[in-house]
Amino acid sequence: YVGLRPKRIDHKKVSEKVGGAEGTKLDDDFKEMERKVDVTSRAVMEIMTKTVEYLHCAHLSISYPQAEALLAEAMLKFGRELGDECNFGPALGDVGEAMRELSEVKDSLDMEVKQNFIDPLQNLHDKDLREIQHHLKKMEGRRLDFDYKKKRQGRLPDEELRQALEKFDESKEIAESSMYNLLEMDIEQVSQLSALVEAQLKYHRQATEILQQVTAKLEER
């Protein structure tokens, strides 16, 4: 992470900021970073939820078989009951076996997506984004404290006002640096999206191969 170097307190700026009784404004670049971080946070949460829905992998957190595995079980069971005397029994066995293999590659897809896409996004949300929210909240508290003291200028010692501004500026720098670092490292999120797509591509290739093999067996029958 490339950190922003903390700026030194400019005492000329201190007197400028203290000058008016107006509330302390945040610059446009800061507000734009704040907006992007907010969108990133909302995107991470919604995309994680929708990915789980899209892959039907809600069973990742509990022991729940794939739909393909349940279908395979039924086909294999009735295939055995019908026996080899008819065409339908062995055909059910062939397709049941293919469905069992499909459920296994689907399990692999779910686990890969969880490890390489959902988990890193969850970590981003729980660690980096939560940390930024903490810094922004602290900064806002110090901004309000400074503005309150600024309105009481003349009734408070100058040193108290100067310290309030220094604390606000320090918090703003930390918040700015943490947002900057997150937005600069967004190549990591691109890499995670790539992992999601690659896992699906691998699954579809394996699924195609399994289905082609069972199609050939059914054509022979």
Side-chain angles (χ1 to χ4, degrees):
Y1 282 71
V2 182
L4 284 177
R5 278 186 291 178
K7 295 171 193 163
R8 291 185 179 181
I9 300 296
D10 183 339
H11 292 284
K12 192 178 173 189
K13 260 188 179 176
V14 171
S15 57
E16 283 171 11
K17 282 188 183 179
V18 169
E22 196 187 331
T24 307
K25 298 282 193 293
L26 295 164
D27 57 77
D28 290 343
D29 286 348
F30 187 94
K31 285 193 280 191
E32 179 57 15
M33 277 205 290
E34 203 173 351
R35 186 192 70 80
K36 282 181 179 171
V37 166
D38 176 60
V39 174
T40 302
S41 182
R42 287 186 288 115
V44 163
M45 281 309 291
E46 191 156 342
I47 287 164
M48 278 196 295
T49 306
K50 295 287 191 281
T51 302
V52 170
E53 288 171 10
Y54 165 60
L55 293 173
H56 308 291
C57 56
H59 67 282
L60 283 173
S61 54
I62 50 172
S63 181
Y64 191 81
Q66 297 283 4
E68 290 89 341
L70 298 174
L71 179 56
E73 207 177 286
M75 287 181 163
L76 290 167
K77 175 191 163 190
F78 288 110
R80 284 192 298 270
E81 278 190 37
L82 281 166
D84 294 341
E85 302 304 311
C86 63
N87 289 312
F88 190 34
L92 273 175
D94 290 340
V95 179
E97 188 55 38
M99 285 294 161
R100 189 189 59 74
E101 287 176 32
L102 280 175
S103 79
E104 286 174 5
V105 295
K106 188 83 182 292
D107 276 337
S108 297
L109 167 69
D110 287 350
M111 289 313 298
E112 274 190 50
V113 170
K114 184 179 184 301
Q115 286 170 10
N116 302 323
F117 185 67
I118 294 173
D119 285 354
L121 285 185
Q122 187 74 56
N123 186 56
L124 176 73
H125 180 268
D126 293 348
K127 187 175 172 285
D128 299 346
L129 288 164
R130 192 164 285 176
E131 200 174 276
I132 288 170
Q133 286 311 313
H134 167 74
H135 292 319
L136 287 169
K137 198 174 176 183
K138 193 172 180 180
M139 181 204 72
E140 185 57 18
R142 286 180 167 183
R143 185 176 75 86
L144 292 170
D145 179 59
F146 170 62
D147 285 346
Y148 170 72
K149 286 174 178 170
K150 189 163 67 168
K151 283 174 187 169
R152 300 185 68 208
Q153 195 180 354
R155 285 173 285 170
L156 289 172
D158 288 348
E159 180 61 20
E160 197 174 326
L161 195 58
R162 189 184 67 78
Q163 281 179 357
L165 176 59
E166 283 187 0
K167 280 185 175 180
F168 163 65
D169 275 346
E170 179 193 27
S171 278
K172 182 174 179 284
E173 286 300 327
I174 293 168
E176 199 166 31
S177 179
S178 64
M179 290 194 295
Y180 176 83
N181 287 338
L182 176 85
L183 297 170
E184 278 293 292
M185 295 299 288
D186 65 354
I187 192 69
E188 286 186 16
Q189 280 74 69
V190 177
S191 162
Q192 287 147 16
L193 278 170
S194 181
L196 169 68
V197 173
E198 282 170 19
Q200 289 180 85
L201 183 58
K202 181 180 166 187
Y203 162 73
H204 285 293
R205 278 181 181 147
Q206 290 174 322
T208 301
E209 198 177 312
I210 291 163
L211 293 170
Q212 281 172 339
Q213 285 171 357
V214 75
T215 298
K217 282 183 182 177
L218 291 171
E219 281 173 358
E220 277 176 30
R221 289 193 185 281

